[in-house]
Amino acid sequence: MADSNKIELARISAKGVVQGVGFRPFIYGLAKKYRLNGWVCNTSEDVKIEVEGERESLDSFISAIKSEAPPLARIENLTVSFGSSVGHGNFEIRESEALPGKYQLVSPDIATCNLCLNDVFTAGNRRRHYPFTNCTNCGPRFTIIKDIPYDRPLTTMSSFKMCPDCQREYDDPLDRRFHAQPNACPVCGPQLELTDKMGKPVDCRDVINKTAEFLREGRIVAIKGLGGFLLACNAENVEAVTLLRRPKRRPSKPFAVMLRDIEEARKHCVVSYTEESLLASPQAPIVLLEWNSSSSICRETGPGLKYLGVMLPYTPLHHLILQKTNLPLVMTSGNISEEPIAGQNGEALRRLGDIADYFVLHDRDIHSTYDDSVAIVFDGEPRLIRRSRGYAPFPIHLAFTAPQILACGAEEKNNFCLTRDNHAFVSQHIGDMENIETMDHYERTVELYKKLFRIRPEIIAYDMHPEYLPSKYALEQAEKLALKSVAVQHHHAHIASCLADNCKEGPVIGVAFDGTGYGNDGHIWGGEFLVADYKGFRRAGQLEYLPLPGGSLAITKPYRTALGYILALLGERALDSRLGFLGKIDSVERALVLRQVELNLNSPLTSSMGRLFDAVSAMAGVRSAIDYEAQAAIEMEMIAYDAAGEAGSYPFSLTGDNSYTIVLLHELVAAVLDDLLKGCHASTVGMRFHNTAAAMTRDVCVKIREGSGLNSVALSGGCFQNRLLLTKVTGLLSQSGFDVLNHKNVPSNDGGISLGQAVIAANAA
Ligand code: ZN
Ligand code: ZN
Ligand code: FE
């Protein structure tokens, strides 16, 4: 039996999210509690702890590390080895150590905690009304970090010297702000400034009061937040919201709103328990909620939509502004169209000067910009549609060890993914890669992630589409750095992404429904049934190929797709003059489309489910031209909810055998036109079409199951952001005995592509 009074030494290494989350003070407190001597130290790989004491105390100490860890800490790996005492006299927190080549996880930015909110709203507190209040449990992290280890000199807080009061908190292991790197107060920390659009300071006693006054007057104010500028205006004021749309070049794309608290959210939306916890979580994403018809938020905020994007304040600055205005505020990314969000003061004034009347600036720099994340709750679980603030740069956990890979992502809703060990570092949402600003932001962010996580890619993965900017970047990098490159088919990446998101390896039946993806045969894919795992895929089914008259023009003008589909499937005779949507097309364009389809001019073939949604939406008169992506499909989903009880569906047929199935669509389109000629309401057509899409998905999956013996189905692609489709497809497949895999942590849209590319490249022989 061991001598119970013998002093032993334990060497402990804790990996995971253990820095910038109050971990060392927690360890300090534990060591005091169990009367252990030694030290704790941050390194660029882990937190190292050396403690000595009696074995029993050491064991209690070690189990408490796991069971009592601070709320934001995530211990992924705890290793312990025992040795003999070296005679430590006390317990101390040592200076951080940088170890060459080693890395550790970096915490995302975290919404203001309740204790800090108390400080901000308590009379007499030295941080009362201070907009940059934070502690080890909350505040900026990733957006201010320039390198690891996470210490103040390596953040954008390095230029602020702490006052004696802040320094005392920072040095006191028992204080909530012990080693809180962004610690600050009104005496020593960042300050607000209110300016007009020329950058000229506005004379006022209190920036918050004046800002609130401007917002109440219907002005547009650009507010510098955690990850970048947000454009704010009164969401009840139709004029202000309309004014905000014009220069932002978003005639109808929905805006998110920020509401004061959960009670306020309930006034405007239906909020489930899970949605409430998600809104109030430390990540505080935008949650798409069912919008009450009695809400006072003007409909121009999300024209034609039944869901409203809602978030709660996530910095003290937001809390203060929301308290003061006591209004629901539109809060939308500070950018024009699809440019990246503005992050620096000068840049914001330059880029947003035509939009905002006033600017709330501050002097804490944003090192890496960050959009707000967007989530929905489906089937009782949060699911991300845009993964950014609060989530990135946390990695997605892989079920295997990956080499160092850079996966460059897709063209739209782009992010990239870097892998190392069993971590897939999926970057924050970068945006649509259509301009220089976004490409610059992309390249800078890739370099930042490579530096933070000490990754030097050996393999580079990219989408097969030769015109995607990230693919071109990938090939340049591969040549420059002599890296192995792996081209990945778009829909294979979607399915692999869904597998990785569920920690599964396949093979599965993959249903990939989206707008566009470059196919192996050079056609545009998007209504695909694959049999896939990480190593490869076989196309096992598809929607039949149909022409897109004018190519990309058909995507912005769905009536062209509708015409093309009708002509190809049913011929010119089917263009009955009583069909309402035909009346909106000018005769010259109609003749042109006819010619394009007839002579096969500039009419690429597509099997896209997204385009089929567009076509039916246009035929039903819901939306004939769009000004944001997927608008026609989204509006058809919205209108279909008005025919909630409708159970009817349209005919379609399948050709081919168990190994390859093609869905033929002429009966479907004929039946839709028939319904419309009979005067059927668009909502009924919309619901019948959703029912049909779900039925064809089930039927094709059943055929593939017969041929392959596979019983799991992975659903991916942007079409599955459509909750009605997702619900119906998941329901029918489950009824038929399939296991259904859906996305959770990465989006089903092209924001999930980089993860899929990475896991495929990791498994490419
Ligand atoms: Zn806090
Ligand atoms: Zn201070
Ligand atoms: Fe896609």
Side-chain angles (χ1 to χ4, degrees), residues 6-56:
K6 195 177 137 207
I7 300 297
E8 284 185 68
L9 176 93
R11 288 195 179 88
I12 301 165
S13 156
K15 287 187 183 174
V17 182
V18 287
Q19 299 189 15
V21 291
F23 197 71
R24 286 177 304 169
F26 156 70
I27 293 295
Y28 182 93
L30 272 189
K32 291 283 167 207
K33 179 174 166 192
Y34 293 104
R35 299 171 191 284
L36 304 174
N37 290 331
W39 50 262
V40 56
C41 172
N42 275 352
T43 79
S44 39
E45 176 184 40
D46 60 358
V47 171
K48 286 202 190 327
I49 306 160
E50 199 171 293
V51 279
E52 50 187 38
E54 291 171 17
R55 182 60 181 256
E56 205 179 317

Coordinates of all heavy atoms in Angstrom, one line a residue, residues 6-56:
K6 N 2.9 10.5 1.5 CA 4.0 10.7 0.6 C 3.6 11.9 -0.4 O 2.5 11.9 -0.9 CB 4.3 9.4 -0.2 CG 5.6 9.5 -0.9 CD 5.9 8.2 -1.6 CE 6.4 8.4 -3.0 NZ 6.2 7.4 -3.9
I7 N 4.6 12.8 -0.6 CA 4.3 13.9 -1.6 C 4.7 13.4 -3.0 O 5.9 13.0 -3.2 CB 5.1 15.1 -1.2 CG1 4.7 15.6 0.2 CG2 4.8 16.3 -2.2 CD1 3.3 16.0 0.4
E8 N 3.7 13.5 -3.9 CA 4.0 13.1 -5.3 C 3.9 14.3 -6.2 O 3.3 15.3 -5.8 CB 3.1 12.0 -5.7 CG 3.4 10.6 -5.2 CD 2.5 9.6 -5.8 OE1 2.7 9.3 -7.0 OE2 1.7 9.0 -5.1
L9 N 4.4 14.2 -7.4 CA 4.3 15.3 -8.4 C 3.5 14.8 -9.6 O 3.7 13.7 -10.0 CB 5.7 15.6 -8.9 CG 5.8 16.7 -10.0 CD1 6.0 18.1 -9.4 CD2 7.0 16.4 -10.9
A10 N 2.5 15.7 -10.0 CA 1.8 15.3 -11.2 C 2.1 16.4 -12.3 O 2.0 17.6 -12.0 CB 0.3 15.3 -10.9
R11 N 2.4 15.9 -13.5 CA 2.6 16.7 -14.7 C 1.4 16.6 -15.5 O 1.1 15.5 -16.0 CB 3.8 16.4 -15.4 CG 5.1 16.7 -14.7 CD 6.3 16.7 -15.7 NE 7.5 17.0 -14.9 CZ 8.2 16.1 -14.2 NH1 7.9 14.9 -14.2 NH2 9.3 16.6 -13.5
I12 N 0.7 17.7 -15.8 CA -0.6 17.6 -16.5 C -0.5 18.5 -17.7 O 0.0 19.6 -17.7 CB -1.7 18.1 -15.6 CG1 -1.8 17.2 -14.3 CG2 -3.1 18.0 -16.3 CD1 -2.6 17.8 -13.2
S13 N -1.1 18.0 -18.8 CA -1.2 18.8 -20.0 C -2.7 18.8 -20.4 O -3.3 17.7 -20.5 CB -0.4 18.2 -21.1 OG -0.9 18.6 -22.4
A14 N -3.3 20.0 -20.5 CA -4.7 20.1 -21.0 C -4.7 20.8 -22.3 O -4.1 21.8 -22.5 CB -5.4 21.0 -20.0
K15 N -5.4 20.1 -23.3 CA -5.5 20.6 -24.6 C -7.0 20.8 -24.9 O -7.8 20.2 -24.4 CB -4.9 19.6 -25.6 CG -3.4 19.6 -25.6 CD -2.9 18.8 -26.8 CE -1.3 18.7 -26.7 NZ -0.8 17.8 -27.7
G16 N -7.2 21.7 -25.9 CA -8.6 22.0 -26.3 C -8.7 23.5 -26.2 O -7.7 24.3 -26.4
V17 N -9.9 24.0 -25.9 CA -10.1 25.5 -25.7 C -9.8 25.8 -24.2 O -10.7 25.6 -23.4 CB -11.4 25.9 -26.1 CG1 -11.6 27.4 -25.9 CG2 -11.7 25.6 -27.5
V18 N -8.6 26.1 -23.9 CA -8.2 26.2 -22.5 C -7.5 27.6 -22.3 O -7.0 27.8 -21.2 CB -7.3 25.1 -22.1 CG1 -8.1 23.8 -21.9 CG2 -6.1 24.8 -23.0
Q19 N -7.4 28.4 -23.3 CA -6.8 29.7 -23.1 C -7.8 30.8 -23.5 O -8.6 30.7 -24.4 CB -5.5 29.8 -24.0 CG -4.5 28.7 -23.6 CD -3.2 28.9 -24.2 OE1 -2.9 30.0 -24.8 NE2 -2.4 27.9 -24.2
G20 N -7.7 31.9 -22.7 CA -8.7 33.0 -22.9 C -10.1 32.7 -22.4 O -11.0 33.3 -22.8
V21 N -10.2 31.6 -21.5 CA -11.5 31.3 -21.0 C -11.5 31.1 -19.5 O -12.3 30.4 -18.9 CB -11.9 29.9 -21.7 CG1 -12.3 30.1 -23.1 CG2 -10.9 28.8 -21.5
G22 N -10.5 31.8 -18.9 CA -10.4 31.7 -17.4 C -9.9 30.4 -16.8 O -10.2 30.0 -15.7
F23 N -9.1 29.7 -17.7 CA -8.7 28.4 -17.2 C -7.6 28.4 -16.2 O -7.6 27.7 -15.2 CB -8.2 27.6 -18.5 CG -8.1 26.1 -18.2 CD1 -9.2 25.3 -18.1 CD2 -6.9 25.5 -18.1 CE1 -9.1 24.0 -17.9 CE2 -6.8 24.1 -17.9 CZ -7.9 23.4 -17.8
R24 N -6.6 29.3 -16.3 CA -5.5 29.4 -15.4 C -6.0 29.8 -14.0 O -5.6 29.2 -13.0 CB -4.3 30.2 -15.9 CG -3.6 29.5 -17.0 CD -2.5 30.3 -17.6 NE -3.0 31.6 -18.1 CZ -2.3 32.6 -18.4 NH1 -0.9 32.6 -18.3 NH2 -2.8 33.7 -18.9
P25 N -6.8 30.9 -13.9 CA -7.3 31.2 -12.6 C -8.1 30.1 -11.9 O -8.1 29.9 -10.7 CB -8.2 32.4 -12.8 CG -8.2 32.7 -14.2 CD -7.2 31.9 -14.9
F26 N -8.8 29.4 -12.8 CA -9.6 28.2 -12.3 C -8.6 27.2 -11.7 O -8.8 26.7 -10.6 CB -10.4 27.7 -13.4 CG -10.8 26.2 -13.3 CD1 -11.7 25.8 -12.4 CD2 -10.2 25.2 -14.2 CE1 -12.1 24.5 -12.3 CE2 -10.6 23.9 -14.0 CZ -11.5 23.5 -13.1
I27 N -7.5 26.9 -12.4 CA -6.5 26.0 -11.9 C -5.9 26.5 -10.6 O -5.7 25.7 -9.7 CB -5.4 25.7 -13.0 CG1 -6.0 25.0 -14.2 CG2 -4.2 24.9 -12.4 CD1 -6.5 23.6 -13.9
Y28 N -5.6 27.8 -10.6 CA -5.0 28.4 -9.4 C -5.9 28.2 -8.2 O -5.5 27.8 -7.1 CB -4.8 29.9 -9.7 CG -4.2 30.7 -8.5 CD1 -2.8 30.8 -8.5 CD2 -4.9 31.2 -7.5 CE1 -2.2 31.6 -7.5 CE2 -4.3 32.0 -6.5 CZ -3.0 32.1 -6.5 OH -2.4 32.8 -5.5
G29 N -7.2 28.5 -8.4 CA -8.2 28.3 -7.3 C -8.3 26.9 -6.8 O -8.3 26.6 -5.6
L30 N -8.2 25.9 -7.8 CA -8.3 24.5 -7.5 C -7.1 24.1 -6.7 O -7.2 23.4 -5.7 CB -8.3 23.6 -8.7 CG -9.7 23.3 -9.4 CD1 -9.4 22.3 -10.5 CD2 -10.7 22.8 -8.4
A31 N -5.9 24.6 -7.1 CA -4.6 24.2 -6.4 C -4.7 24.7 -5.0 O -4.3 24.0 -4.0 CB -3.4 24.8 -7.1
K32 N -5.2 25.9 -4.8 CA -5.4 26.5 -3.4 C -6.3 25.6 -2.6 O -6.0 25.3 -1.5 CB -5.9 27.9 -3.5 CG -4.9 28.9 -4.1 CD -3.9 29.3 -3.1 CE -2.7 30.0 -3.7 NZ -1.4 29.9 -3.1
K33 N -7.4 25.2 -3.2 CA -8.4 24.5 -2.5 C -7.9 23.1 -2.0 O -8.1 22.7 -0.9 CB -9.6 24.2 -3.5 CG -10.8 23.4 -2.9 CD -11.9 23.4 -3.9 CE -12.9 22.3 -3.5 NZ -13.9 22.0 -4.6
Y34 N -7.1 22.5 -2.9 CA -6.5 21.2 -2.5 C -5.1 21.3 -1.9 O -4.4 20.3 -1.7 CB -6.5 20.2 -3.7 CG -7.9 19.9 -4.1 CD1 -8.5 20.4 -5.2 CD2 -8.7 19.0 -3.3 CE1 -9.8 20.1 -5.6 CE2 -10.0 18.6 -3.7 CZ -10.5 19.2 -4.8 OH -11.8 18.9 -5.2
R35 N -4.7 22.5 -1.6 CA -3.4 22.8 -0.9 C -2.2 22.2 -1.7 O -1.4 21.5 -1.1 CB -3.4 22.3 0.5 CG -4.4 23.0 1.4 CD -4.6 22.3 2.7 NE -5.7 22.8 3.4 CZ -5.8 24.0 4.0 NH1 -4.8 24.8 4.1 NH2 -6.9 24.4 4.7
L36 N -2.2 22.4 -3.0 CA -1.1 21.9 -3.8 C -0.2 23.0 -4.2 O -0.6 24.1 -4.5 CB -1.7 21.2 -5.1 CG -2.8 20.1 -4.8 CD1 -3.4 19.6 -6.2 CD2 -2.2 18.9 -4.1
N37 N 1.1 22.7 -4.3 CA 2.1 23.7 -4.8 C 2.5 23.3 -6.2 O 2.4 22.1 -6.6 CB 3.3 23.7 -3.9 CG 2.9 24.3 -2.5 OD1 2.0 25.2 -2.5 ND2 3.6 23.9 -1.5
G38 N 3.1 24.3 -6.9 CA 3.5 24.1 -8.3 C 3.3 25.3 -9.2 O 3.4 26.4 -8.7
W39 N 2.9 25.0 -10.4 CA 2.7 26.2 -11.3 C 1.7 25.7 -12.5 O 1.5 24.6 -12.7 CB 4.0 26.7 -11.9 CG 4.9 25.7 -12.5 CD1 6.0 25.1 -11.8 CD2 4.8 25.1 -13.8 NE1 6.6 24.2 -12.6 CE2 5.9 24.1 -13.9 CE3 4.0 25.2 -14.9 CZ2 6.2 23.3 -15.0 CZ3 4.2 24.4 -16.0 CH2 5.3 23.5 -16.1
V40 N 1.2 26.8 -13.2 CA 0.4 26.5 -14.4 C 0.9 27.5 -15.4 O 1.4 28.6 -15.1 CB -1.1 26.7 -14.1 CG1 -1.4 28.1 -13.5 CG2 -1.9 26.5 -15.4
C41 N 0.9 27.1 -16.7 CA 1.5 27.9 -17.7 C 0.8 27.7 -19.1 O 0.6 26.5 -19.4 CB 3.0 27.5 -17.8 SG 3.9 28.3 -19.1
N42 N 0.5 28.7 -19.8 CA 0.0 28.6 -21.2 C 1.2 28.4 -22.1 O 2.2 29.1 -22.0 CB -0.6 29.9 -21.6 CG -2.0 30.1 -21.2 OD1 -2.6 29.1 -20.7 ND2 -2.6 31.3 -21.4
T43 N 1.1 27.4 -23.0 CA 2.1 27.3 -24.0 C 1.3 27.4 -25.4 O 0.1 27.5 -25.4 CB 2.8 26.0 -24.0 OG1 2.0 25.0 -24.6 CG2 3.2 25.5 -22.6
S44 N 2.1 27.4 -26.5 CA 1.3 27.5 -27.7 C 0.8 26.2 -28.1 O 0.2 26.0 -29.2 CB 2.2 28.1 -28.8 OG 3.5 27.6 -28.7
E45 N 0.9 25.2 -27.2 CA 0.3 23.9 -27.5 C -0.8 23.5 -26.6 O -1.8 22.9 -26.9 CB 1.4 22.8 -27.5 CG 0.9 21.4 -27.7 CD 2.0 20.4 -27.5 OE1 2.8 20.6 -26.6 OE2 2.0 19.5 -28.3
D46 N -0.6 23.9 -25.3 CA -1.6 23.4 -24.3 C -1.5 24.3 -23.1 O -0.8 25.3 -23.1 CB -1.2 22.0 -23.9 CG 0.2 21.8 -23.4 OD1 1.0 22.8 -23.3 OD2 0.6 20.7 -23.0
V47 N -2.2 23.9 -22.0 CA -1.9 24.5 -20.7 C -1.1 23.4 -19.9 O -1.6 22.3 -19.8 CB -3.2 24.9 -20.0 CG1 -2.9 25.3 -18.5 CG2 -3.8 26.1 -20.7
K48 N 0.1 23.7 -19.4 CA 0.8 22.8 -18.6 C 0.7 23.1 -17.2 O 0.7 24.3 -16.8 CB 2.3 22.9 -19.0 CG 2.6 22.2 -20.4 CD 4.1 21.8 -20.5 CE 4.5 21.4 -21.9 NZ 3.4 20.8 -22.7
I49 N 0.5 22.0 -16.4 CA 0.3 22.2 -15.0 C 1.3 21.2 -14.3 O 1.4 20.1 -14.7 CB -1.1 21.8 -14.5 CG1 -2.1 22.6 -15.3 CG2 -1.3 22.1 -13.0 CD1 -3.5 22.0 -15.3
E50 N 2.0 21.7 -13.2 CA 2.8 20.9 -12.4 C 2.4 21.1 -11.0 O 2.4 22.2 -10.5 CB 4.3 21.2 -12.6 CG 5.2 20.1 -12.2 CD 6.7 20.3 -12.6 OE1 7.0 20.3 -13.8 OE2 7.5 20.5 -11.7
V51 N 1.9 20.1 -10.3 CA 1.5 20.2 -8.9 C 2.0 19.1 -8.1 O 2.2 18.0 -8.6 CB -0.1 20.2 -8.8 CG1 -0.7 21.5 -9.2 CG2 -0.7 19.1 -9.6
E52 N 2.2 19.4 -6.8 CA 2.6 18.3 -5.9 C 1.8 18.3 -4.6 O 1.4 19.4 -4.2 CB 4.1 18.2 -5.7 CG 4.8 19.5 -5.3 CD 6.3 19.4 -5.3 OE1 6.9 18.7 -6.2 OE2 6.9 20.0 -4.4
G53 N 1.6 17.2 -4.1 CA 0.9 17.0 -2.9 C 0.6 15.5 -2.7 O 1.2 14.7 -3.4
E54 N -0.3 15.2 -1.7 CA -0.6 13.8 -1.5 C -1.4 13.3 -2.6 O -2.2 14.0 -3.2 CB -1.4 13.7 -0.1 CG -0.5 14.1 1.1 CD -1.3 14.2 2.3 OE1 -2.4 13.7 2.4 OE2 -0.7 14.7 3.3
R55 N -1.2 12.0 -2.8 CA -1.9 11.4 -4.0 C -3.4 11.6 -4.0 O -4.0 11.9 -5.1 CB -1.5 9.9 -4.0 CG -2.1 9.1 -5.2 CD -1.5 9.7 -6.5 NE -2.1 9.1 -7.7 CZ -1.4 8.2 -8.4 NH1 -0.2 7.9 -8.1 NH2 -2.0 7.6 -9.5
E56 N -4.0 11.5 -2.9 CA -5.4 11.6 -2.8 C -5.9 13.0 -3.3 O -6.8 13.2 -4.1 CB -5.9 11.4 -1.4 CG -7.3 10.9 -1.2 CD -7.7 10.7 0.2 OE1 -6.8 10.1 0.9 OE2 -8.7 11.2 0.7

